[in-house]
């Protein structure tokens, strides 16, 4: 939960020491580390909004903790999980700095590739527009897939009893 520029250079040296530069594992790891604090804080608030009385009554009925979590708590938090997934996806999809510093060869993400269209000779506006239009499609599909849960998840916790 700090600015990415504060940890980009130390992350470069750590990844270099573990031979994770220019690898898919390195990019996946840095995106996971970048989104983990956001996901934990968001999901904690969504799970805290689920009343504890539901858990207690399920325990009295003989359900195990795992059954309560899987059959009661997860379906109730489905909207929050969808909202968190969309936000984490968008943050990873638009992340620029870490991939720029941790990759040097052919392994690039969309924002890093789009920055290569601006050169000292000029800007390839056609290529940049085509890449931008193509980059919107996966994000649009993800939002469409979780659309019915998204509104409920974003408004969850806004009203108290």
């Amino acid at each position: 939960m700090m600015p990415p520029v504060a940890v980009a250079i130390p992350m470069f040296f750590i990844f270099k020491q573990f031979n994770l530069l220019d690898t898919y594992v390195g990019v996946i790891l840095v995106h996971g580390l970048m989104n983990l604090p956001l996901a934990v804080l968001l999901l904690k608030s969504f799970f805290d909004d689920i009343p504890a009385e539901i858990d207690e009554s399920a325990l009295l009925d003989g359900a195990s903790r795992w059954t309560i979590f899987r059959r009661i708590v997860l379906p109730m938090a489905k909207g929050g999980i969808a909202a968190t997934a969309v936000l984490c996806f968008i943050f990873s999809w638009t992340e620029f700095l870490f991939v720029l510093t941790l990759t040097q060869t052919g392994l690039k993400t969309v924002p890093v590739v789009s920055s290569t269209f601006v050169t000292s000779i000029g800007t390839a506006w056609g290529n940049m527009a085509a890449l931008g239009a193509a980059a919107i499609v996966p994000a649009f599909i993800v939002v469409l897939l979780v659309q019915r849960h998204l509104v409920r998840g974003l408004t969850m916790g806004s009203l108290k009893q």
Side-chain angles (χ1 to χ4, degrees):
M1 295 303 291
M2 64 178 60
V5 73
V7 294
I9 301 300
M11 193 79 75
F12 173 81
F13 288 117
I14 291 170
F15 277 49
K16 186 176 181 180
Q17 184 176 8
F18 289 109
N19 294 325
L20 290 174
L21 293 179
D22 285 331
T23 63
Y24 287 108
V25 173
V27 172
I28 292 168
L29 186 63
V30 78
H31 282 247
L33 291 173
M34 178 184 68
N35 284 318
L36 188 64
L38 171 75
V40 167
L41 288 174
L42 283 176
L43 288 175
K44 182 193 179 312
S45 67
F46 288 125
F47 284 120
D48 284 345
D49 286 342
I50 297 173
E53 292 83 17
I54 295 174
D55 293 352
E56 293 168 0
S57 63
L59 276 173
L60 287 175
D61 289 341
S64 67
R65 293 264 184 208
W66 173 249
T67 304
I68 294 170
F69 180 72
R70 188 172 45 96
R71 292 194 178 172
I72 298 171
V73 174
L74 276 182
M76 290 180 75
K78 196 178 348 179
I81 293 169
T84 302
V86 166
L87 286 174
C88 288
F89 174 78
I90 290 173
F91 284 168
S92 282
W93 191 250
T94 60
E95 200 282 317
F96 178 78
L97 182 67
F98 284 127
V99 177
L100 182 67
T101 57
L102 297 178
T103 60
Q104 289 129 8
T105 59
L107 183 64
K108 305 276 187 214
T109 58
V110 173
V112 176
V113 171
S114 68
S115 71
T116 61
F117 294 135
V118 179
T119 63
S120 61
I121 298 170
T123 303
W125 291 109
N127 294 343
M128 192 178 293
L131 183 64
I136 292 172
V137 173
F140 185 70
I141 290 171
V142 167
V143 171
L144 279 179
L145 289 175
V146 298
Q147 177 184 4
R148 71 183 126 119
H149 306 293
L150 190 59
V151 174
R152 182 172 161 239
L154 290 175
T155 59
M156 185 181 246
S158 62
L159 300 173
K160 292 290 180 183
Q161 295 177 357

